[in-house]
Amino acid sequence: MAEHPLATLRLGGVVVAEYDDGAGLDPVLAPRPYLHPVRTLGGRAVTDALPADHPWHLGISIGVQDVGGTNLWGGPTYLRGRGYTACGDHGRIEHAGFSTLADDGFDEALRWLAADGRLLLGEHRRVRARLVAGGWELQLTTALTNATGGDLALGSPATHGRAGAGYGGFSWRLPATREPFVHTTHTAGEQGTHGAVAPWLAWSDRAAGFTVVVTGADDVTRADPWFVRVGDYPGIGSQLAPRRPVILAPGRTVTRGFRALVADGAVDDAVAARWAGRSGG
């Protein structure tokens, strides 16, 4: 269970996710709110948090490794020519209130803060859950607005020289794998799916008895490459800054939206494609 729960998502009386404020985490983890545990309707866990290999991986969360020089992802910071380095440059993302809060979701305001407490970004986050054929659907939209007086760069290890490591934005740490299989509409495996631009990405684990399918909720989000790890750790996400940083002028906003199908057992590709092709409710 969440240590500091802000919200609990329930569908038909079943708890499918808890939302933790992350406020008590070590500063090096870039404290931030996150969804964990997230479960299938049958009770199977589909997230992990604070794993020993990458303790800054927090269930389903939103973070960016370089926000104008502040690490809001957690862990070491990737520096050009030096690699991953402990820099003491971690900020935090704070819950600032709900405008709506119900069993099936919430609308939330958040503050992205630098290590010295300066406000870098304001965020509006919308989370919804609903029952769908074969399981339940999670909807998550994040809108990040530059709250500084100048241009603000949102970067990644890729923008600092580590090719293929454009992670940032939406991130999903999965539980320890037993029989993982990850694929898109046309590619499979870590090498085939990492960096692919595809309408949906599916992760299944036959032994663990669950499948999750993720799709972008709009054309802009679907244009971002997927981020996939299987060998080093089980994780998927989207690459907000795969090659160049996202530059936000003062007061400007970048928005990304995602939908996820959370199912017990296997999900046929045709079913995944039909679900991904529908708009969220």
Side-chain angles (χ1 to χ4, degrees), residues 112-254:
W112 291 47
L113 305 175
D116 61 5
R118 287 179 297 113
L119 179 62
L120 301 172
L121 292 164
E123 181 187 356
H124 175 259
R125 186 174 299 179
R126 181 183 189 273
V127 172
R128 293 290 187 276
R130 64 170 186 158
L131 294 170
V132 295
W136 69 278
E137 178 179 295
L138 173 69
Q139 303 170 6
L140 189 157
T141 300
T142 175
L144 303 173
T145 301
N146 181 357
T148 74
D151 288 351
L152 188 65
L154 310 184
S156 67
T159 67
H160 291 280
R162 189 185 178 208
Y167 58 79
F170 175 83
S171 174
W172 188 323
R173 177 64 190 244
L174 291 135
T177 58
R178 295 160 66 185
E179 295 183 28
F181 177 59
V182 60
H183 67 290
T184 69
T185 52
H186 57 281
T187 58
E190 180 175 347
Q191 290 188 342
T193 57
H194 178 75
V197 175
W200 52 265
L201 175 76
W203 178 291
S204 60
D205 191 326
R206 183 174 61 180
F210 73 83
T211 299
V212 297
V213 186
V214 184
T215 184
D218 53 74
D219 290 342
V220 173
T221 304
R222 285 190 289 269
D224 291 336
W226 294 110
F227 185 89
V228 178
R229 288 290 184 265
V230 179
D232 291 341
Y233 60 85
I236 56 177
S238 186
Q239 300 190 53
L240 179 65
R243 288 170 292 278
R244 294 176 295 278
V246 174
I247 306 298
L248 289 179
R252 298 303 296 268
T253 299
V254 59

Side-chain angles (χ1 to χ4, degrees), residues 5-60:
L6 287 169
T8 300
L9 301 181
R10 294 182 177 88
L11 294 171
V14 176
V15 174
V16 293
E18 294 187 66
Y19 190 56
D20 196 297
D21 68 2
L25 295 175
D26 189 308
V28 77
L29 305 181
R32 59 199 185 276
Y34 59 98
L35 287 160
H36 176 77
V38 178
R39 300 184 183 277
T40 67
L41 293 174
R44 294 176 173 85
V46 298
T47 55
D48 194 6
L50 301 166
D53 54 57
H54 292 75
W56 53 91
H57 288 183
L58 302 174
I60 298 174

Side-chain angles (χ1 to χ4, degrees), residues 65 77-85 156-163 243-245:
Q65 214 206 43
T77 299
Y78 191 88
L79 301 178
R80 189 179 297 274
R82 296 176 59 186
Y84 284 105
T85 306
S156 67
T159 67
H160 291 280
R162 189 185 178 208
R243 288 170 292 278
R244 294 176 295 278

